[in-house]
Amino acid sequence: QLVLVESGGGLVQAGGSLRLSCAASGRTLSTYAMAWFRQAPGKEREFVAAISWSSTYTAYADSVKGRFTISRDNAKNTVYLQMNSLKPEDTAVYNCAADRTSTTTASRYRAAYDYWGQGTQVTVSS
C-alpha cells in the first residue's frame, strides 16, 4: 500500500513562495505518475500540475503556469511543488496523488489517480 504525506504548507503573503513536498512510503514512487490537485473552500478539487515517472513530461493548469514547478526525486521517494508569485486565489488545500498505470505521460484528471495524500493547507494573504 502506497502512503502519501504532504508537507510545506502555511501562511504566506501575496508574492511570496512556498515549496510543498509529498513523501511516499510503502512502495517506491519511481513507476508512478504524480500530480498535485487543490481544493478551495466551496469549490471543486482542481488539477494543478503533473509529472511522469521519468520527469520527461510535465503539465500545468493555466492558472499556475509560469509560477509553479513540479519536480520529483525518485531516490528520495518525494515529489515537490515549488510555488512562486503566490496569489490569494492560490489559497486551498493541496493534495498529491499517484497514478500506478501511467507510462510516459501524466493525467490531469482526478479519476486517473489511485492514491491520495491527506493534504496541506496553503493560505495566501493579500
Side-chain angles (χ1 to χ4, degrees):
Q1 183 74 9
L2 181 67
V3 177
L4 304 174
V5 179
E6 301 94 337
S7 62
L11 174 63
V12 64
Q13 287 188 331
S17 298
L18 284 173
R19 188 175 83 154
L20 305 184
S21 298
C22 172
S25 62
R27 292 180 182 175
T28 177
L29 272 184
S30 61
T31 60
Y32 291 76
M34 299 295 297
W36 288 93
F37 290 81
R38 68 186 182 186
Q39 187 168 20
K43 295 187 177 180
E44 290 191 358
R45 184 175 289 174
E46 65 175 1
F47 169 76
V48 176
I51 187 168
S52 62
W53 69 269
S54 62
S55 300
T56 56
Y57 174 90
T58 58
Y60 296 91
D62 287 344
S63 59
V64 307
K65 199 172 294 182
R67 300 188 297 122
F68 291 10
T69 303
I70 189 170
S71 62
R72 64 191 298 161
D73 185 337
N74 287 339
K76 295 184 177 180
N77 238 23
T78 302
V79 177
Y80 305 97
L81 185 68
Q82 177 67 44
M83 305 186 296
N84 299 328
S85 302
L86 283 162
K87 303 175 181 180
E89 51 263 44
D90 294 319
T91 295
V93 174
Y94 284 71
N95 298 88
C96 65
D99 173 7
R100 62 186 173 182
T101 60
S102 179
T103 54
T104 58
T105 61
S107 177
R108 295 171 176 259
Y109 300 102
R110 290 175 291 175
Y113 292 87
D114 307 290
Y115 301 97
W116 292 81
Q118 85 291 347
T120 185
Q121 176 71 46
V122 171
T123 302
V124 184
S125 63
S126 58

